[in-house]
Amino acid sequence: MTPLDGALWLVRHGFAVFSTDHPGLERCAGIGQGHDPAVCTDRGKHPCVPFTRAHTLDEDQVRRTFGEQLRNVGVAIGGVDGPDGARLLVVDSDRPGALEDAAGAFGYRHTPTMRVTTAKGHHDYYWSPGSLQLGNGLGALRGKFDGDVRGPRGYVIGPGSVHATGVIYELVDPEQPPVPAPAWLLTAIQAPAAPPVPRPAGAPPREGGGALVGLVRSVLNARQGNRNSCLYWAACRAFEQASKAQLDVRAVAGALVDAATHAGLTEAEARTTIASAYRSAGGTL
């Protein structure tokens, strides 16, 4: 299956697609605030268009986009409409069996659904009730699941795409559609994450210092559609202050990751943006 094959299969089954970078290109074709294609090392995943509004279900456009240039396929989760107003939810496992293990940790069995294998694990596609306001946060899954959750504001790389390692994303069973997400999974995602382990007495605050509290708060309060750019701006300012005050930059990065995931970004997205901001400041995380 090629990216074009995968994109055509997706749109014929109601999944909105868009183009992303392909590792076969000499330089990353991705765009976005804080993303520098010239130094990109996470190839094959960055959107080439503003995917929340520039996705498509049109087969002719798909043929032009993926048949005339080298691109991977992205699935715009928020652009997919399910039965009875359901919304798409994709669980991204970083290793085989991660979701099965998480289900077992909550006392349940994994519910088989549409699955795409990836370089590290798999994507499980589910329908969630349209009345739920789901983000990209793990909720109570944090610490019990190796991976991420992608809600309407997110995207995943689709079948037929090529990973930087050369692995092709593949449908396990092309005849298996998404099924309703199990109640235990929806409950876990919406539940608050477990409270952090108390820090030792006298340890510096997680924000990395009082001067950084306002920046962390700005990330926490960022609105949908502006979270990534707000995080990039806050990270740049935070690293500038950390350098002047000789603060631990990893502690600063940790505070920003915590705030960004609470605001709705995935941990992977947050760390990529923060690392990009730190590189612009001349450092390496």
Side-chain angles (χ1 to χ4, degrees):
M1 180 178 278
T2 65
L4 176 58
D5 294 332
L8 287 172
W9 185 95
L10 286 162
V11 298
R12 288 167 182 167
H13 288 79
F15 297 96
V17 302
F18 62 94
S19 61
T20 73
D21 176 47
H22 191 290
L25 295 169
E26 182 176 346
R27 174 186 169 121
C28 180
I31 63 171
Q33 179 71 36
H35 175 60
D36 185 352
V39 297
C40 176
T41 58
D42 191 20
R43 296 298 307 278
K45 297 183 178 181
H46 292 102
C48 297
V49 296
F51 72 91
T52 56
R53 59 180 185 275
H55 50 261
T56 185
L57 285 163
D58 182 80
E59 288 191 27
D60 289 336
Q61 184 175 339
V62 164
R63 289 190 177 90
R64 290 192 298 271
T65 299
F66 299 97
E68 300 175 3
Q69 56 189 343
L70 200 58
R71 293 289 188 271
N72 271 347
V73 185
V75 179
I77 295 175
V80 181
D81 294 322
D84 299 322
R87 307 299 300 275
L88 189 62
L89 174 71
V90 181
V91 182
D92 179 5
S93 296
D94 284 343
R95 61 174 177 80
L99 185 54
E100 287 86 343
D101 291 344
F106 284 88
Y108 295 90
R109 291 186 178 182
H110 169 252
T111 302
T113 188
M114 173 181 163
R115 173 171 281 188
V116 175
T117 59
T118 68
K120 294 189 294 182
H122 39 74
H123 295 156
D124 284 282
Y125 288 62
Y126 289 105
W127 294 124
S128 66
S131 58
L132 297 183
Q133 299 297 316
L134 299 179
N136 295 328
L138 288 172
L141 286 177
R142 184 176 295 278
K144 297 181 179 180
F145 172 62
D146 298 327
D148 289 308
V149 172
R150 306 301 171 101
R153 295 190 295 272
Y155 72 93
V156 291
I157 301 301
S161 300
V162 182
H163 190 266
T165 59
V167 172
I168 297 176
Y169 293 70
E170 295 184 351
L171 282 158
V172 172
D173 179 1
E175 301 302 319
Q176 171 66 64
V179 303
W184 76 264
L185 179 61
L186 296 175
T187 300
I189 293 171
Q190 297 176 88
V197 177
R199 298 177 64 80
R206 185 63 185 268
E207 288 85 357
L212 302 175
V213 171
L215 293 173
V216 171
R217 187 175 295 116
S218 70
V219 175
L220 283 169
N221 296 331
R223 296 182 177 180
Q224 180 179 347
N226 192 43
R227 293 184 177 96
N228 204 59
S229 58
C230 179
L231 175 61
Y232 181 78
W233 172 84
C236 288
R237 305 291 81 75
F239 287 130
E240 291 171 0
Q241 294 185 23
S243 176
K244 294 176 183 178
Q246 296 185 330
L247 297 172
D248 182 355
V249 294
R250 292 191 180 278
V252 173
L256 292 171
V257 168
D258 287 350
T261 54
H262 183 83
L265 293 177
T266 68
E267 184 169 335
E269 290 169 332
R271 291 193 180 280
T272 296
T273 298
I274 291 168
S276 178
Y278 195 44
R279 282 196 300 271
S280 73
T284 327
L285 283 173

